[in-house]
Amino acid sequence: MISPKGKTALITGSTDGVGRVVAEQLGKMGARVLVHGRGRERGEQVVAAIKRDGGTAEFLPADLAALAEVRRLADAVRATTDRLDILINNAGIGSAGAGRQTSADGHELRFAVNYLAGFLLSYLLLPLLKQSAPARIVNVASAGQQAIDFSDVMLTRGYSGSRAYCQSKLAQIMFTVDLARELEGTGVTVNSLHPATYMNTTMVRRAGVTPISTVEQGAEAILNLAVGPALEGRSGLYFNGLREARAERQAYDAEARARLRALSLELTGLRAGEKV
Ligand SMILES: NC(=O)c1ccc[n+]([C@@H]2O[C@H](COP(=O)([O-])OP(=O)(O)OC[C@H]3O[C@@H](n4cnc5c(N)ncnc54)[C@H](OP(=O)(O)O)[C@@H]3O)[C@@H](O)[C@H]2O)c1
């Protein structure tokens, strides 16, 4: 692994699950870690664990189910650090739940939290990432992917938690392919992955599934993209664990990606001056 000593990493959703393990491991490797989640108590516990191991960390709370909070998180990052070398968009909600839910902005909740929040956060933090280049963005997606039906992205018809989860995960991968092209020549790379299948996390337990992988396996795959030497200068890729893989067909459909991008810009209200 390339040593992250002296580098700063933000891991969204690092109060629990695989994100927590990645945050703790980056802390042990010497990175300054920005821990993110909703609950302050759990966030501070992760910070304390990193500090006990001799690392440096701070907790930045934000509920990614509100775009205003995503903006607040970006502001908090900028107020905390003048460099950002690694951004890991990991926070997510699984497929379990009692029917269709919406975000504070009225968007289908999994699309909002799993995809749209990371889309907006990445753009808001791009100036900092570019300034710190070489820098890397890692989008933690999933092997569970479903093509987006552009006539009903918010899933007002035929909703299922699994469909909502899978389309949000494919959206992350489509964004990765798209953003990589835009970032060519900037020294900022962006890759996505399926970390591991059914890790032993809250999300999987909530879905009533028996775990078959450890969080350490998923963390290893995420760290490979975040600090692995083989990924230097490589961008726009999708990995299944440690192996480069093909995502669902729609990820390679330029027209579908353009539609998703236009919709995402509209929904997030990203202004021209912010999109550098
Ligand atoms: N588990 C698997 O087998 C598996 C497989 C493929 C992909 N993945 C992906 O891996 C990532 C991590 O999953 P995990 O299994 O580690 O999940 P997890 O244990 O349930 O942890 C999810 C994390 O996301 C945060 N989060 C959820 N909703 C949020 C919101 N509205 N605002 C801010 N933070 C929020 C949680 O914060 P709080 O502490 O505030 O709840 C928590 O830190 C997800 O993107 C998931 O889709 C997981």
Side-chain angles (χ1 to χ4, degrees), residues 18 195-197 199 212-222 241-242:
V18 70
T197 301
M199 293 176 281
I212 58 173
S213 308
T214 63
V215 273
E216 285 72 22
Q217 283 171 294
E220 186 188 0
I222 294 171
L242 294 166

Side-chain angles (χ1 to χ4, degrees), residues 13-19 36-39 42 62-65 90-93 113 140-142 165 169 194-199 201-204:
S14 44
T15 47
D16 203 357
V18 70
H36 159 268
R38 283 171 298 189
R42 287 202 294 153
D63 184 349
L64 302 184
N90 165 78
I93 341 171
V113 172
V140 182
S142 174
Y165 179 77
K169 292 286 139 183
H194 168 68
T197 301
Y198 297 137
M199 293 176 281
T201 66
T202 304
M203 177 183 292
V204 168

